[in-house]
Amino acid sequence: MSRPKCLVVDDEPIILELSAQTLSPMNIDCVGVGTYTDACEQLKTQTFDLCLTDMHLPDGNGIDLVNLIQREYSNIPVAVITAFGSVESAVQALKAGAFDFVTKPVDIKELRNLVATALKLAEKHEESFSSLVGESTAIQALRVKIAKLARSQAPVYIRGESGVGKEVVARLLHAQGARASKPFVPVNCGAIPTELMESEFFGHKKGSFTGATADKQGLFQIAQGGTLFLDEVADLPLHMQVKLLRVIQEKQMRPVGATKEIPVDVRILSATHRDLADLVKQGKFRQDLFYRINVIELHVPPLRERTQDIPLLVERILQKLTEGNGNAKLRLSANAMAFLQSYHFPGNVRELENILERAMTLCDDNVIQIDDLQLPKLEEASNNHDEYTEDDLLSIATLEENSAGLDPLLEDLERDKIMKALEKTKGNKTRAARLLGISFGALRYRLTKFKLHSNSEQNE
């Protein structure tokens, strides 16, 4: 098996020499060049497993090289060498797709760790996406983004409503990356008492405060080499935000009561259901910390934007609920499934899990009916003249079955057909439903799903 090969791009001979001396004991061949042009020539003529480039080159800059490699040699992890304290340059490189960065003066141990982590990407096998259930366009796009971001060491801010599965996404980013063999440490920032927060994150030395009867490792130490997932990061108090920012920037931390700092090698993933940008404007979240943890933002869609995934989610959840308890296989009636697909789900996937767990205990003959779901909407519908009839629900179920997996183009055609029917009937939904050959309830369901509203809501 041939030795891995690294391309080093820097116009300082001492950096090229240091890189060669550092990588040689790791059985890595090092090819050093001093310009962007020479780097491009080497990439055309040789195969590399890794690239290290300085940010400032005589005929270009490191970002140009990062962009080139992302575009034409995307299988090569590229890290940038930045000036000490140049946070803006490092963030710019990570946003462009750099795997990681190292600062000058280059620390040999840090460089070796970076190179070893980067080379693991070539050995990493594709992890299963089985925990991210669904085949909708939104979920497929999310899978593509996760696969791409897993190759980076950049901090990722996972944005989404409560219950959408932000921790599932964080675990996938870890599992598909080079740090998969190291710990994944999730922490709910809102669940740690303020007075214990510094000790929990950074650890403490024996005797550093009352009750510190022994040395204790902090979350950063436990996650060393792996990933630290900061869930509900918006709940961090301001004094901890300052300390966290410094650890992220300097890659060092000091346990409570310690006299020396220790190196930190973790990837930071963070999430919250709150609007961090708005909290920054209110002065409740530090802008500089937001800038560092939000290098890359990943949005997890709410369940109401991917209703076609509900049957797959239901199947997976019911399978998990009945696993190992000897129960016969549970299923939903067509009416119950249709109703679920018309429900708004403010609590997203977590709410769906709770609904099904409750329905499992209420249903008869292992078939979950509408009444077993006990959705708030059912109680509200009893006083609403728009209540779904059984025929309406069957029509909705038929529509969903026939339209499962439709691409956006076909959905656009369906939307257009409904709008034309409403125009012909001057907004009369009853007549429009008759014209379309579906029940009134099924049409109303479609109007809600596509966010369409007729001009004459009173004309039923």
Side-chain angles (χ1 to χ4, degrees), residues 209-221:
F209 55 87
T210 303
T213 57
D215 290 355
K216 177 187 174 181
Q217 283 193 327
L219 294 168
F220 273 94
Q221 292 158 298

Side-chain angles (χ1 to χ4, degrees), residues 127-139:
E127 293 289 339
S128 170
F129 274 108
S130 59
S131 56
L132 194 62
V133 179
E135 294 299 333
S136 63
T137 302
I139 285 297

Side-chain angles (χ1 to χ4, degrees), residues 263-323:
V264 169
D265 175 28
V266 299
R267 186 183 189 186
I268 299 290
L269 305 178
S270 58
T272 181
H273 70 283
R274 300 167 68 184
D275 188 336
L276 273 188
D278 187 53
L279 292 177
V280 169
K281 292 177 183 176
Q282 296 177 37
K284 296 179 180 178
F285 199 86
R286 290 183 63 95
Q287 185 174 30
D288 45 8
L289 178 58
F290 176 63
Y291 181 64
R292 287 299 284 121
I293 66 173
N294 192 32
V295 172
I296 299 171
E297 183 173 295
L298 185 59
H299 174 61
V300 184
L303 186 54
R304 63 181 172 276
E305 292 181 7
R306 55 184 190 101
T307 55
Q308 74 182 79
D309 291 333
I310 288 177
L312 288 173
L313 283 162
V314 167
E315 181 182 0
R316 176 65 61 84
I317 294 167
L318 291 180
Q319 183 181 23
K320 186 169 66 173
L321 288 174
T322 58
E323 202 170 63

